[in-house]
Amino acid sequence: MNFRELKSLVRQGEHGRLEFKRKAAYPEKIIKEVVAFANTEGGELLIGVDDDGKIPGLKFAEEDKYVLDKAIARYCSPDIHYTTEIIPLNESRSVIRYSINKSPEGPHYVQEPGAPQRKVYVRVNDQSIQASREVRQVLKGEKKSREVRFSFGEKEKQLMEFLDKKGSITVAQFAEIAGEPARKVSRTLVLLVLAGVLRIEPRTGQDLFMRKSEIPERTDR
């Protein structure tokens, strides 16, 4: 990629598949973007670009890339496959470009220094957010690539009636209308997502579950 192509890319602004970082000073905080891209639809991470689209670049791009690569290898699991490129701006400044594809080996985790547990991140619009338990279960289920069957009972009927009226539902709302524990209805929602009946939209607070535009034939068992 040359400088002209870089500027064209930056003009898009940050979005679901593009993230800017001004510096590589705290690599353990940057690698969550790599994990989020791998867990979602892939994307491009540009180091040396401001949030407002200015391109100051990095003075020591090779050294910064080395540190970031070591952090990805150390803190991310399973291994993430990506490509990198150093794009010169002038004789003294460069931008690092990380290209990450959607991974078939997810979910990918980050073990942040000092954190008691590993975390999963996903990309939502122009942000990388921590994945809920339900999103993690969906990612694990998608990896297995097997046919999912479900029974359509009274609580599923209540769910669909609620979605017809409101358009979306959270785990807490479903637990309330079904009169069952959140953990139990959570499993139902995840199963319906994996069966292609619902889709999940991750949120910083509570995820939203919605009907898919095309719903496959129900399996009553």
Side-chain angles (χ1 to χ4, degrees):
M1 176 177 285
N2 58 39
F3 186 41
R4 175 180 291 183
E5 292 169 331
L6 174 64
K7 289 194 294 183
S8 178
L9 180 62
V10 170
R11 277 197 293 270
Q12 296 179 18
E14 292 181 315
H15 53 72
R17 301 193 63 182
L18 184 61
E19 175 73 19
F20 305 152
K21 292 295 181 184
R22 170 65 181 86
K23 298 178 180 179
Y26 300 98
E28 66 276 7
K29 295 182 179 180
I30 293 177
I31 57 176
K32 73 176 187 179
E33 315 291 351
V34 176
V35 167
F37 283 137
N39 282 332
T40 317
E41 296 300 323
E44 308 269 356
L45 173 61
L46 300 177
I47 314 294
V49 179
D50 283 328
D51 290 344
D52 62 4
K54 294 180 180 177
I55 311 177
L58 304 167
K59 189 173 183 180
F60 304 106
E62 290 282 358
E63 289 85 346
D64 288 336
K65 177 184 173 302
Y66 175 81
V67 172
L68 282 171
D69 288 346
K70 294 286 285 186
I72 293 170
R74 180 176 181 182
Y75 297 120
C76 301
S77 61
D79 291 345
I80 296 176
H81 303 289
Y82 59 89
T83 60
T84 60
E85 179 183 8
I86 293 180
I87 306 165
L89 304 180
N90 50 47
E91 292 183 357
S92 60
R93 294 273 174 175
S94 301
V95 166
I96 310 172
R97 175 193 182 193
Y98 280 80
S99 298
I100 306 101
N101 291 326
K102 180 178 180 179
S103 175
E105 301 172 359
H108 292 273
Y109 296 81
V110 176
Q111 180 64 65
E112 298 173 338
Q117 294 181 330
R118 299 182 303 168
K119 296 179 181 179
V120 175
Y121 290 92
V122 292
R123 191 75 176 172
V124 179
N125 297 324
D126 62 348
Q127 293 185 322
S128 297
I129 66 172
Q130 187 175 344
S132 65
R133 181 164 58 91
E134 289 73 31
V135 170
R136 296 197 303 271
Q137 290 300 317
V138 168
L139 289 172
K140 290 177 182 177
E142 289 175 341
K143 180 181 177 181
K144 295 177 182 177
S145 299
R146 68 167 185 257
E147 184 180 359
V148 176
R149 296 181 179 274
F150 65 95
S151 59
F152 196 85
E154 183 60 31
K155 68 179 179 181
E156 286 78 15
K157 180 181 177 182
Q158 293 174 320
L159 169 64
M160 294 305 171
E161 289 175 348
F162 187 95
L163 290 174
D164 286 341
K165 294 177 181 178
K166 302 293 185 180
S168 64
I169 195 168
T170 65
V171 171
Q173 288 172 327
F174 189 23
E176 182 177 355
I177 65 173
E180 294 185 349
R183 185 172 290 272
K184 186 174 182 179
V185 301
S186 168
R187 289 197 294 269
T188 299
L189 290 169
V190 168
L191 187 63
L192 291 173
V193 171
L194 293 174
V197 176
L198 302 181
R199 61 187 175 91
I200 184 172
E201 289 199 1
R203 292 287 188 272
T204 302
Q206 295 193 69
D207 300 329
L208 297 179
F209 293 83
M210 305 174 185
R211 281 181 181 266
K212 273 203 167 182
S213 55
E214 294 184 8
I215 298 179
E217 182 179 348
R218 293 200 297 251
T219 304
D220 297 302
R221 294 185 182 274

